Amino acid sequence: TNISSIFIRGAVKNNPEQVINLISEADELGDDAAAFSDFDYRLYHQLAFASGNPIYALILNGFQGLYTRMGRIYFAEKPTRDCTLNFYRQLSELAARGEYEAVLPLVRQYGADSGTLWLTLKQSMSENLAEI
């Protein structure tokens, strides 16, 4: 959350139109875990480049495999996809208004919200494994 808030803020500040265009591609997403996981990784990767500091994209490169595997688990549930789409919408609105200073609290809130969803998902997975 801390690292992504830095490069996402930079992207909104330096390339707001690109942020809006990148996020608009979410409108074409299929409602499934694989589509969301792949798009989410690509979006973060492209936002890192849009920030003007490609070092963040290089950092993300090292996590692509793990990110994709965990994303497919996380995005398997509809509430996680809905939470993410809401985050995308809010981020696009900030970019449209040029409110790059508001990115940090938005990313932190999304991190907290998605963390809560992840804990619920993890608990559900543990209960399902216990039943097997």
Side-chain angles (χ1 to χ4, degrees), residues 15-128:
N15 290 298
E17 299 85 17
Q18 186 177 0
V19 172
I20 294 165
N21 289 335
L22 291 169
I23 292 172
S24 73
E25 294 174 23
D27 295 338
E28 306 301 318
L29 276 177
D31 193 26
D32 65 87
F36 265 80
S37 179
D38 294 344
F39 176 79
D40 198 63
Y41 177 81
R42 275 194 335 274
L43 175 65
Y44 276 80
H45 199 257
Q46 292 171 329
L47 289 173
F49 278 114
S51 75
N53 189 342
I55 191 72
Y56 295 111
L58 295 174
I59 292 169
L60 286 174
N61 284 345
F63 292 101
Q64 184 175 8
L66 176 64
Y67 195 102
T68 300
R69 286 191 302 277
M70 297 307 290
R72 289 180 183 198
I73 295 168
Y74 176 75
F75 288 119
E77 300 295 324
K78 179 104 171 97
T80 61
R81 296 190 302 272
D82 291 342
C83 177
T84 300
L85 287 173
N86 185 50
F87 168 68
Y88 294 162
R89 180 187 51 75
Q90 291 177 10
L91 184 59
S92 183
E93 290 170 2
L94 291 180
R97 294 191 306 262
E99 296 179 13
Y100 60 89
E101 292 296 343
V103 169
L104 178 61
L106 175 64
V107 172
R108 284 188 177 157
Q109 185 60 54
Y110 173 62
D113 294 345
S114 61
T116 299
L117 289 167
W118 179 252
L119 288 175
T120 302
L121 178 62
K122 217 169 88 171
Q123 180 180 357
S124 173
M125 287 179 354
S126 296
E127 290 170 1
N128 289 339

